[in-house]
Amino acid sequence: MSLRIVVTVKYVPDATGDRHFADDLTVDRDDVDGLLSELDEYAVEQALQISENADDDVEITVLTVGPEDAKDALRKALSMGADKAIHVEDDDLHGTDAIGTSLVLAKAIEKAGYDLVISGLASTDGTMGVVPALLAERLGVPQVTLLSEVSVEDGTVKGRRDGDAASEQLEASLPAVVSVTDQSGEARYPSFKGIMAAKKKPVESWDLSDLDLEAEEVGLEGAWTAVESATQRPARTAGTIVKDEGEGGKQLAEFLAGQKFI
Amino acid sequence: MAEVLVYVDHVDGAVRKPTLELLTLARRIGEPVAVALGAGAESTAAALAEHGATRVLTHDASEYVDYLVVPKVDALQAAVAAVSPAAVLVPSSAEGKEIAARLALRIGSGIITDAVDLEAGDEGPVATQSVFAASFTTKSRVSKGTPVITVKPNSAAVEAAPAAGAVEALAVSFSAQATGTKITGRTPRESTGRPELTEAAIVVSGGRGVNGAENFALIEALADSLGAAVGASRAAVDAGWYPHTNQVGQTGKSVSPQLYIANGISGAIQHRAGMQTSKTIVAVNKDAEAPIFDLVDYGVVGDLFDVVPQLTEEIKTRKG
Ligand SMILES: Cc1cc2nc3c(=O)[nH]c(=O)nc-3n(C[C@H](O)[C@H](O)[C@H](O)COP(=O)(O)OP(=O)(O)OC[C@H]3O[C@@H](n4cnc5c(N)ncnc54)[C@H](O)[C@@H]3O)c2cc1C
Ligand SMILES: Cc1cc2nc3c(=O)[nH]c(=O)nc-3n(C[C@H](O)[C@H](O)[C@H](O)COP(=O)(O)OP(=O)(O)OC[C@H]3O[C@@H](n4cnc5c(N)ncnc54)[C@H](O)[C@@H]3O)c2cc1C
């Protein structure tokens, strides 16, 4: 028996950079450096750990839908230890929304073949946290999402989901879609050996026709949502800053009282 | 007038505040019809009616407790079929977003998540989102199908608007997927007696500067003097000083209180992502160069071990 894991990873603009919108109200990706969404590193890490703990052969494929540069995200995941990569790239994908992204990902996952899909809890740009649930719905398999602990054994995936009201133990049969949180365990740094090995690992490129998808089904035109405006938040007006010289707490209390908080 | 479905977040019949906020927003675009599921669903009716629900559709089944997310999607889909609403509004919790997304896909609709405001537009409801760590504000709408929109807590003031709130049984038949993910165990979170972090009017947070689990007592004492919720930075959570459920930021909770007090927190972009929309921001930090001071309405450059206890005492004295 072997276990095929597909890890979905997103290439996103660096959150510490000057993120902004282009004229067509999509994210401007040209002016800001991109990287593998840090939260997807946790997904890659859990795939690697499942592989290390398995008796069976495990094959880990990392999958991204994104522009040319998104290859960087795939390289990072490969250098962490994934086996191969799939890059879905097509000019017509520009401006795809969550429903469209999940369509492309689901088609690619089916074409690749899978027993387990692992995603991050949310991207660091769109931060919607909906793609894993959408993938489960499209693939018709269980969703075992927002796990802070995950394990796979005998065709069953188990995990812990820490919610607001309770911490829940979940269980489902494979195939399934899992998403993991940043509480699932620190992601490893690629080793030098890993980085060198990644250069030789296969990266396949698929476009829409490879997935039997039409341009109208995706992209800005095919989107099911429309952004009407994006405006930069005005900078906050500079506040009052005092240095504590023994009365700092009292001064702060005075401010809070003035604002009617006390 | 068109009806708008509002998904009810409740605990054994006690309706949580974000749902009441949704009813206020729903009234801007139509007549709210609430959908309450699970144990105590019917006892939500009084609170929902008080805040504008014309009808309350209820259903209870063990599936809601025994299986993850999908049974609730099935129920909401049944409600959409029964009502043909102009829009569906769901509170923006982690689970709420998953329910909303699957529903949107099933009914052939687009989805907008984490709206912070909602208004009627010529082509359907227009949602305001606060994106890129709250540095941009966007306005969007769903351009295909029945708009499905999730709304963040504290996006509207709760308004009373008494309506009929007639309870009606919702007929639900569960899909084959409903029983796919079993919930085999559940450990309820212990209540601290403090307000819920995302719903609190005041949040007092501690970061790495608090320097130890035991010192969080200082943060809690300040919070209690103000009737506030306690938050923490990821650095404090990762160090094991405070539970992850209290983390504020990109991978924790987003909060939007009237007042946010950051103690010993530098103000990294990922922390700001979760608190930047707070109305009034106050910080105590010994480093005058800390980025958090770029956000503050009032900042004290000083040692939190001096400033916080003095502040707490002064608040207690003033409150008498
Ligand atoms: C600021 C902003 C706001 C947006 N708001 C909306 C909105 O309200 N409605 C809407 O329909 N679209 C919206 N979008 C577009 C949406 O973010 C993208 O279509 C997107 O790829 C899916 O959503 P997400 O990035 O939020 O993913 P999430 O649902 O947060 O991602 C969860 C996981 O899914 C996987 N994943 C997501 N995208 C990809 C990808 N391209 N390739 C591989 N794996 C992936 C990753 O494992 C990721 O960790 C928004 C985009 C931005 C930048
Ligand atoms: C993908 C990703 C997601 C993340 N998500 C989150 C998130 O959700 N929430 C979050 O908070 N972070 C998050 N982070 C981490 C974030 O980048 C920062 O590392 C974190 O916020 C730092 O926490 P801090 O401000 O408490 O610690 P530090 O940055 O170490 O700052 C401590 C501050 O305390 C001050 N200080 C020290 N001693 C005292 C004293 N005695 N009195 C007064 N001031 C004192 C120091 O001057 C300093 O400014 C995330 C990071 C990544 C990569």
Side-chain angles (χ1 to χ4, degrees):
Chain A
M1 273 286 287
S2 71
L3 182 72
R4 297 162 302 167
I5 304 180
V6 177
V7 184
T8 58
V9 299
K10 191 178 182 188
Y11 179 74
V12 297
D14 188 345
T16 59
D18 175 25
R19 294 181 295 180
H20 55 271
F21 289 86
D23 292 342
D24 66 354
L25 300 178
T26 62
V27 178
D28 189 334
R29 293 175 185 276
D30 296 335
D31 285 0
V32 190
D33 288 341
L35 45 79
L36 167 62
S37 176
E38 283 149 315
L39 298 172
D40 291 341
E41 291 182 15
Y42 295 88
V44 176
E45 176 63 35
Q46 287 309 311
L48 294 169
Q49 290 197 17
I50 288 167
S51 168
E52 285 157 9
N53 295 329
D55 301 325
D56 310 331
D57 285 348
V58 178
E59 182 185 58
I60 302 173
T61 305
V62 286
L63 164 66
T64 196
V65 174
E68 160 104 59
D69 296 345
K71 281 203 178 56
D72 291 353
L74 295 174
R75 284 283 168 226
K76 171 95 190 257
L78 290 173
S79 63
M80 287 173 71
D83 300 302
K84 61 188 181 79
I86 298 168
H87 183 191
V88 183
E89 186 189 1
D90 198 304
D91 287 346
D92 290 325
L93 282 168
H94 176 79
T96 306
D97 66 0
I99 297 279
T101 301
S102 70
L103 172 65
V104 181
L105 284 170
K107 286 274 188 183
I109 290 164
E110 277 172 335
K111 185 174 157 88
Y114 73 103
D115 302 298
L116 181 63
V117 176
I118 308 185
S119 302
L121 79 151
S123 72
T124 60
D125 61 345
T127 66
M128 294 178 72
V130 299
V131 168
L134 288 170
L135 288 178
E137 179 71 32
R138 287 199 184 270
L139 297 168
V141 303
Q143 79 165 72
V144 197
T145 46
L146 298 172
L147 303 183
S148 43
E149 221 171 71
V150 57
S151 65
V152 176
E153 211 172 328
D154 299 331
T156 302
V157 52
K158 294 184 184 178
R160 195 182 83 231
R161 173 171 165 124
D162 293 325
D164 275 352
S167 182
E168 294 166 333
Q169 296 293 334
L170 305 182
E171 192 176 310
S173 311
L174 299 182
V177 175
V178 158
S179 75
V180 299
T181 75
D182 57 335
Q183 299 292 301
S184 59
E186 255 336 278
R188 69 195 63 187
Y189 287 106
S191 63
F192 178 70
K193 209 173 119 214
I195 293 167
M196 295 314 287
K199 296 198 165 131
K200 298 198 195 77
K201 290 179 180 173
V203 179
E204 281 193 59
S205 269
W206 294 348
D207 62 13
L208 288 175
S209 66
D210 291 314
L211 300 176
D212 294 324
L213 288 171
E214 305 291 333
E216 307 85 74
E217 295 177 78
V218 297
L220 216 42
E221 292 305 307
W224 300 21
T225 50
V227 183
E228 297 189 329
S229 69
T231 40
Q232 189 147 18
R233 207 163 185 262
R236 287 184 90 101
T237 42
T240 310
I241 296 183
V242 299
K243 196 168 170 345
D244 177 35
E245 274 154 357
E247 298 286 296
K250 289 189 179 150
Q251 287 166 284
L252 185 44
E254 184 62 35
F255 169 78
L256 294 179
Q259 301 285 312
K260 306 266 184 291
F261 288 115
I262 307 176
Chain B
M1 201 169 169
E3 293 184 311
V4 175
L5 275 191
V6 171
Y7 180 83
V8 177
D9 187 2
H10 71 99
V11 183
D12 295 328
V15 180
R16 294 183 57 183
K17 188 164 148 260
T19 300
L20 302 179
E21 295 166 9
L22 281 197
L23 290 171
T24 300
L25 293 174
R27 290 204 310 277
R28 295 185 191 162
I29 50 179
E31 270 180 15
V33 174
V35 182
L37 306 173
E42 287 180 19
S43 25
T44 60
L48 297 170
E50 179 64 31
H51 294 90
T54 56
R55 301 197 273 156
V56 181
L57 312 182
T58 62
H59 186 251
D60 188 17
S62 58
E63 276 82 353
Y64 300 124
V65 186
D66 295 338
Y67 301 96
L68 193 72
V69 175
V70 188
K72 294 171 181 165
V73 182
D74 291 342
L76 204 48
Q77 186 181 12
V80 169
V83 172
S84 301
V88 181
L89 305 183
V90 181
S92 253
S93 60
E95 185 188 48
K97 291 200 279 188
E98 293 185 331
I99 294 171
R102 295 186 74 138
L103 174 77
L105 184 54
R106 283 192 190 178
I107 65 173
S109 296
I111 176 167
I112 291 174
T113 56
D114 295 325
V116 295
D117 201 6
L118 204 60
E119 63 209 331
D122 295 341
E123 295 169 279
V126 176
T128 305
Q129 286 167 297
S130 176
V131 306
F132 291 159
S135 59
F136 277 83
T137 302
T138 59
K139 286 190 189 288
S140 309
R141 63 190 171 77
V142 170
S143 51
K144 191 175 167 216
T146 306
V148 177
I149 301 172
T150 79
V151 181
K152 281 197 179 189
N154 288 318
S155 295
V158 173
E159 287 166 14
V167 175
E168 296 167 38
L170 177 68
V172 179
S173 55
F174 291 114
S175 64
Q177 279 76 40
T179 52
T181 309
K182 270 196 240 103
I183 301 174
T184 57
R186 183 180 276 115
T187 316
R189 226 161 267 306
E190 271 175 50
S191 167
T192 60
R194 297 196 178 87
E196 183 66 35
L197 186 53
T198 51
E199 300 169 15
I202 303 180
V203 174
V204 176
S205 286
R208 202 194 306 269
V210 173
N211 199 25
E214 62 292 355
N215 299 335
F216 256 88
L218 287 181
I219 305 298
E220 289 180 332
L222 173 56
D224 292 343
S225 74
L226 290 162
V230 176
S233 75
R234 175 157 152 185
V237 168
D238 282 354
W241 302 341
Y242 224 66
H244 178 244
T245 38
N246 297 69
Q247 182 178 316
V248 172
Q250 188 182 39
T251 54
K253 303 269 161 60
S254 2
V255 300
S256 204
Q258 296 299 321
L259 172 65
Y260 187 83
I261 308 183
N263 302 287
I265 294 178
S266 61
I269 186 79
Q270 296 89 353
H271 188 81
R272 293 161 68 146
M275 49 65 73
Q276 197 149 337
T277 53
S278 305
K279 309 287 176 302
T280 299
I281 299 175
V282 167
V284 178
N285 194 306
K286 66 181 181 189
D287 175 10
E289 303 296 317
I292 191 85
F293 285 125
D294 297 344
L295 299 183
V296 299
D297 297 284
Y298 198 91
V300 179
V301 179
D303 192 323
L304 72 88
F305 292 95
D306 299 329
V307 178
V308 170
Q310 189 181 67
L311 172 60
T312 309
E313 275 315 306
E314 186 66 19
I315 291 169
K316 283 190 192 153
T317 314
R318 284 178 186 245
K319 282 193 166 175

